[in-house]
């Protein structure tokens, strides 16, 4: 059987036709409508009509979402999506089973179903990107929370004297935070690309390496707080920069240093990179679809 998978982002919709083992028969990308809900529904419907030999459709989307019903309280950067049941809306035009899940939780489901968290009961997934995507896993299942906002790590406050988006975890440990730390260490404001940063760091550029280490320390600091609350067995780090072994090693080192200063109070979780990168949301949406009632 084949399934149509969609990963809806702020600027583009990635899609794939896949079997149940996430083998992609075809894949592609189209622009995300920015203007209206009607345009969005038309684009998704057209995508199905071009691939109508599938038996189901699974979507990963931003925002606060009830994955059991498909009700979307928010749509992230898609401001025209608010307080509506997206599954029922799409079902008027698409005759196959449809499921929808939050993008960060879909990334975690990909790891639970097929990747580095397969067989793990309690874990945290932390996706380092523009923001901090997050998912808490307990007893092998994502925790949604009362209002489906559990795992919104981006919004963790970091400064008791200052509030707002400049002082949340996303600003310190997202891509913006990495650039700020590296620029501060280099003493300049000229941004390097992520590829340039890690090429220099892996070549022992002392200033760049110091900036990356400071960034990793911030990540480890907040992850240590999550360890105190959740006691996970594994922490999986996702996002494009998680492919860098240096970053994972630095996070581990800083976590161990923090714990040592606390008398090795906690049995630290294993810290691993996520297995899936650009396809994680697609694969996780498939896993949710296959596991749904």
């Amino acid at each position: 059987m084949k399934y149509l998978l969609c990963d809806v982002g702020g600027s583009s919709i990635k899609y794939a036709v896949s079997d149940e083992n996430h083998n992609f028969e075809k894949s592609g990308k189209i622009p995300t409508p920015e203007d209206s809900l009607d345009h969005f529904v038309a684009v998704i419907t057209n995508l199905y009509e071009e691939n109508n030999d599938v038996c189901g459709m699974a979507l990963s989307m931003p925002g606060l979402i009830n994955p059991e019903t498909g009700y979307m309280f928010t749509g992230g950067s898609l401001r025209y999506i608010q307080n509506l049941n997206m599954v029922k809306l799409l079902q008027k035009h698409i005759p196959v089973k449809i499921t929808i899940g939050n993008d960060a939780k879909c990334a975690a489901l990909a790891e639970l179903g097929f990747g580095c968290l397969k067989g793990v009961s309690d874990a945290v997934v932390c996706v380092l990107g523009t923001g901090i995507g997050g998912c808490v896993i307990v007893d092998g299942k994502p925790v949604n929370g009362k209002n489906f906002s559990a795992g919104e790590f981006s919004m963790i406050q970091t400064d008791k004297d200052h509030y707002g988006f400049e002082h949340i975890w996303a600003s310190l440990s997202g891509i913006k935070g990495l650039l700020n730390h590296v620029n501060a260490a280099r003493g300049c404001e000229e941004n390097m690309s992520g590829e340039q940063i890690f090429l220099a760091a892996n070549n022992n550029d002392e200033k760049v390496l110091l900036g990356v280490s400071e960034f990793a320390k911030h990540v480890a600091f907040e992850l240590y707080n999550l360890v105190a609350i959740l006691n996970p067995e594994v922490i999986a780090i996702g996002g494009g920069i998680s492919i860098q072994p240096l970053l994972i090693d630095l996070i581990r080192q800083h976590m161990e240093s923090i714990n040592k200063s606390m008398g090795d109070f906690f049995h630290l979780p294993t810290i691993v990179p996520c297995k899936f990168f650009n396809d994680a949301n697609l694969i996780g949406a498939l896993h949710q679809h296959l596991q749904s009632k």
Side-chain angles (χ1 to χ4, degrees), residues 237-259:
I237 308 295
I241 59 176
S242 68
I243 199 171
Q244 296 290 338
L246 173 64
L247 178 65
I248 303 300
D249 288 342
L250 286 171
I251 293 172
R252 288 193 191 110
Q253 290 171 26
H254 285 300
M255 182 86 79
E256 290 168 359
S257 179
I258 294 168
N259 198 42

Side-chain angles (χ1 to χ4, degrees), residues 195-267:
E195 183 177 348
Q196 289 172 326
I197 286 172
F198 283 99
L199 179 61
N202 283 306
N203 285 327
N204 295 315
D205 183 311
E206 291 185 4
K207 292 181 178 180
V208 173
L209 188 56
L210 176 61
V212 174
S213 181
E214 283 298 307
F215 170 77
K217 184 187 292 185
H218 276 286
V219 176
F221 180 82
E222 299 298 353
L223 290 179
Y224 191 80
N225 289 334
L226 294 179
V227 170
I229 297 168
L230 301 168
N231 186 31
E233 177 185 351
V234 178
I235 294 177
I237 308 295
I241 59 176
S242 68
I243 199 171
Q244 296 290 338
L246 173 64
L247 178 65
I248 303 300
D249 288 342
L250 286 171
I251 293 172
R252 288 193 191 110
Q253 290 171 26
H254 285 300
M255 182 86 79
E256 290 168 359
S257 179
I258 294 168
N259 198 42
K260 186 174 182 179
S261 72
M262 300 295 292
D264 291 322
F265 188 85
F266 292 117
H267 180 79

